[in-house]
Each structure stands twice: as structure tokens, then as C-alpha cells.
Amino acid sequence: MSASNTGITKRGIDLLHDPRLNKSIGFTEAERRALGLIGLVPDVTESIETQLSRVLLQLKDKATDLDRFIHLMNLLETNQTLFYHTLMSDPTRFLYIVYDPTIGEACLKFDHIFRRPLGMYLSMSRKGHVKEVLRNWPVKDVRVICVTNSGRILGLGDLGANGMGIPIGKLQLYTAAAGVPPEGLLPMYLDSGTNNETYLRDPLYLGLRQRRPSTEELYAFVDEFMETVPEVFPNCCVHFVGLDRN
């Protein structure tokens, strides 16, 4: 088998670092030879069910659902296929962890449990340059953007940048429950500040450290966003969640 026969263009460590393509110890011997993976993974090939059994064992050892949420997000960042296989191995159990109700606690602590960026952060400080920002997203055929400014999240009020967990989680449901390919899904936070004094004082807070703007300013920014999306992603629909003007 040659690299071209696998349909994968990345090789070696670059392939293992791409969560969309990485199968870890699920790569076959032929794939390892073709893709330059010999020696970069343990010399055993495991089925996805065997890999799932390891994930379930690791989750069993976690003390809380928030700990399990963090572990699953780390899995998403390394092996997307195994992440979604885990979710659908027991949807009743795992959707409860990656979304409501555990997502509420995760959002409240989002800046403290943050590992790496997922999705896009579009700040009002980029007003007039929205198109340039959206073009930084590596996938050009985005089909759904789930976006929030986190003014009102799950009855928890103004969560500012911490509310980014909601669009991330909602789009995971699109894939896990409806089979929508994750490559075409884009979670996004429209950063228009926050009136939450706790977050404004927190040195680990991830958003703009300013109070929310007037309704007119916010809507002007949203208008620019909505006018720009069809230019950059012509096949995209926009799903607003938790958007609040105050």
C-alpha cells in the first residue's frame, strides 16, 4: 500500500498530531509503512472497540462528570474518530457529560479548564475586519456556524467567553446524534464583552475585559458578521444560541 492509496496526504508525526486523521494504535501495518508511522506508535494494532475499552476504563477512574468532560475534550483534541465512537457507544450516558447538564458546570469554569482553542473567537475589536478573520479558518466549505455572545446561557446568565462551551457542545451533538461531518461545523464566540464582574476581575478570563456595548453597537457588529458569512462560507447556515443584547 502506498501513501496515495490511503487517501491521506499527511505523514508521520504530522498525521498523529491531526485529530481528524489520527487513529493512534488503530493504524494497520500496511498504513504504518505507507504513512511513515513505524516506531512512532506502539507496535500493536488495536480495533476501535479495544481502544474504546481503554477510554471507558479511564473514565471510570474519574471522580466527577466534569473530570470526565475534560478527559473527553482531551480525547477530541487527539483522536476525533475515537471521541465520537465513545459518545455513540452509550449516547444516554455520554451526551449527558459532553452537553447538558455537565456543560453548565464546564462553562462556569471554562477559562480555568481551558486547554487549547476550539472554533473561532470573533471580537468586536475586529469590527470592520470580520472577513479577514473568518478567512483564517482552515476549512473553506463550512456548512453550519453555531455562534453565541453568551449573554444568557442555560439560565446561568452572562458567561462572557466562558459560554464558548455551548456552541462547541451543540455542534458535537450534530455529529454524534445526526452524523453531520464535523469538518463542516464551526463553533464561534462573538466577543462583545461581559457585564459579569467576577470574570472581568479573573486574571484567567479569556474574553474582552470590557462591559457589553449598547444594543446599537452590538447589532451593527452582528450585521457585519451576517453580511460577511455568505461571502466567506456561501453554503453555510448560522445557528444563534444564547445571543443577548444586554
Side-chain angles (χ1 to χ4, degrees):
M1 178 185 290
S2 67
S4 60
N5 294 144
T6 67
I8 297 174
T9 56
K10 290 188 177 181
R11 288 176 52 82
I13 204 71
D14 290 335
L15 174 57
L16 295 178
H17 287 171
D18 188 332
R20 301 167 303 165
L21 302 174
N22 178 33
K23 295 194 293 184
S24 185
I25 45 182
F27 286 107
T28 65
E29 175 67 15
E31 288 172 328
R32 294 173 193 215
R33 291 183 180 278
L35 298 169
L37 296 174
I38 304 272
L40 300 183
V41 292
D43 202 7
V44 60
T45 297
E46 289 186 349
S47 70
I48 197 165
E49 294 303 327
T50 300
Q51 294 176 71
L52 171 62
S53 67
R54 183 179 293 105
V55 174
L56 297 179
L57 181 65
Q58 293 165 348
L59 290 172
K60 184 179 178 181
D61 290 338
K62 302 299 179 184
T64 69
D65 279 343
L66 181 61
D67 291 334
R68 296 181 185 96
F69 172 89
I70 293 170
H71 187 82
L72 286 170
M73 291 305 103
N74 287 338
L75 178 61
L76 173 67
E77 293 167 11
T78 58
N79 190 329
Q80 200 173 87
T81 299
L82 184 55
F83 169 79
Y84 284 111
H85 187 75
T86 301
L87 261 55
M88 295 317 294
S89 71
D90 189 347
T92 302
R93 175 187 179 193
F94 290 116
L95 297 186
Y96 178 98
I97 294 173
V98 300
Y99 201 63
D100 196 26
T102 308
I103 194 67
E105 183 180 4
C107 282
L108 288 170
K109 301 175 180 177
F110 192 81
D111 46 6
H112 287 212
I113 64 174
F114 180 80
R115 297 296 192 275
R116 55 168 287 188
L118 293 173
M120 292 200 80
Y121 290 76
L122 178 58
S123 163
M124 284 195 72
S125 65
R126 310 300 176 184
K127 192 173 185 300
H129 301 279
V130 170
K131 186 182 296 186
E132 297 167 35
V133 175
L134 294 184
R135 283 180 171 162
N136 285 335
W137 188 247
V139 177
K140 304 312 175 187
D141 188 19
V142 172
R143 296 305 181 96
V144 179
I145 292 175
C146 185
V147 59
T148 187
N149 79 338
S150 305
R152 43 186 176 84
I153 293 291
L154 296 175
L156 299 172
D158 181 354
L159 296 187
N162 281 13
M164 180 58 157
I166 294 298
I168 291 172
K170 277 193 179 292
L171 291 182
Q172 288 168 356
L173 299 188
Y174 275 47
T175 298
V180 180
E183 298 79 26
L185 304 178
L186 174 54
M188 184 176 294
Y189 173 57
L190 291 185
D191 195 345
S192 56
T194 180
N195 292 337
N196 190 316
E197 293 295 340
T198 299
Y199 293 142
L200 290 174
R201 293 193 301 266
D202 188 341
L204 297 181
Y205 178 62
L206 296 167
L208 285 178
R209 295 179 184 276
Q210 63 186 44
R211 299 187 69 81
R212 291 187 179 275
S214 67
T215 300
E216 292 73 20
E217 288 180 273
L218 174 61
Y219 282 5
F221 184 53
V222 172
D223 285 345
E224 181 185 354
F225 169 70
M226 289 302 296
E227 290 165 4
T228 304
V229 167
E231 295 183 48
V232 181
F233 307 120
N235 298 313
C236 183
C237 111
V238 179
H239 175 179
F240 282 98
V241 56
L243 187 69
D244 194 272
R245 65 185 181 182
N246 297 317

